[in-house]
Amino acid sequence: MAKVGLVALIDMDGTLCDYQGALMRDLEALRGPADPPLGGEDDSPPWLRARETMIRRQPGWWRSLPRHQLGFDVLAELQALRFEIHVLTKGPVGTPSAWTEKLEWCQQHLPGVPVTITMDKGLVYGKVLVDDYPPYVERWLEWRPRGLVVLPAQPWNRGFSHPNAIRYDGSNLHEIRAALRRLCEAE
């Protein structure tokens, strides 16, 4: 249905991978009896940020992230409509080994899909962006005011609103499918 060159960009962390779930699991494993319960605060104390950094720097951590079903649901719809799929992920500045492991993760779970690791997602062309993080979505939409964004539901994107964005929570795949079809028909 889609024409050649109808590019869909799909994020990794929080979209295709359960980054937050893996991080919380590993933080919980390090929590001592006197440590407060983990609450996912936006402003973590320095000791907790240090643990997060230590976890993310462990060899193999990024490569072993579990799949996130909401992202794979959207990916399946994009593939069914014959979009040209590209993984678009941000490379963590303080963890250069993550760049390699992210590529290895993609090669294992999405063989043959091109991967772009960037510092600025707004600079990468596509008709569709699938990403969970509102600041990246907003930056991308600055350059693509007619682009379509699908946000796999996460606590940090609850309440995000934009006329070109749909939040996918697992119950509204029909809405995602219809928006993608409209985009294909407009091409």
Side-chain angles (χ1 to χ4, degrees):
M1 181 186 271
K3 294 181 181 178
V4 174
L6 201 54
V7 175
L9 307 168
I10 189 160
D11 172 52
M12 284 185 66
D13 310 327
T15 300
L16 290 171
C17 304
D18 187 8
Y19 167 88
Q20 190 67 22
L23 184 61
M24 295 305 284
R25 174 200 66 212
D26 294 345
L27 283 170
E28 186 62 35
L30 295 174
R31 192 165 71 86
D35 291 342
L38 298 173
E41 304 86 17
D42 287 338
D43 191 25
S44 301
W47 62 267
L48 188 56
R49 286 194 307 273
R51 286 183 188 176
E52 290 173 0
T53 298
M54 181 192 70
I55 289 167
R56 289 190 300 260
R57 288 185 177 166
Q58 293 300 304
W61 191 81
W62 294 89
R63 185 176 42 249
S64 65
L65 288 173
R67 290 167 48 131
H68 185 57
Q69 189 57 49
L70 293 179
F72 274 86
D73 291 350
V74 177
L75 175 63
E77 290 300 319
L78 292 165
Q79 289 171 325
L81 291 170
R82 302 176 49 86
F83 276 81
E84 184 180 327
I85 309 294
H86 292 251
V87 171
L88 178 64
T89 187
K90 188 166 187 294
V93 176
T95 314
S97 62
W99 295 46
T100 300
E101 291 191 18
K102 284 179 169 234
L103 177 60
E104 291 169 342
W105 188 97
C106 289
Q107 289 171 335
Q108 178 184 353
H109 295 275
L110 304 166
V113 173
V115 178
T116 299
I117 302 175
T118 185
M119 297 303 293
D120 186 350
K121 292 183 180 185
L123 300 177
V124 182
Y125 170 79
K127 290 284 188 176
V128 177
L129 174 66
V130 184
D131 200 309
D132 63 297
Y133 193 56
Y136 298 159
V137 166
E138 290 168 337
R139 172 78 175 132
W140 187 80
L141 284 168
E142 283 178 34
W143 294 95
R144 274 148 217 92
R146 294 177 302 177
L148 172 67
V149 173
V150 178
L151 292 100
Q154 294 287 1
W156 49 88
N157 62 33
R158 188 176 297 124
F160 177 79
S161 179
H162 187 282
N164 297 28
I166 304 169
R167 188 170 187 263
Y168 173 58
D169 64 8
S171 69
N172 59 330
L173 194 55
H174 62 283
E175 183 181 2
I176 305 301
R177 187 177 300 124
L180 292 172
R181 284 189 177 142
R182 282 192 302 275
L183 188 62
C184 289
E185 291 164 3
E187 286 300 307

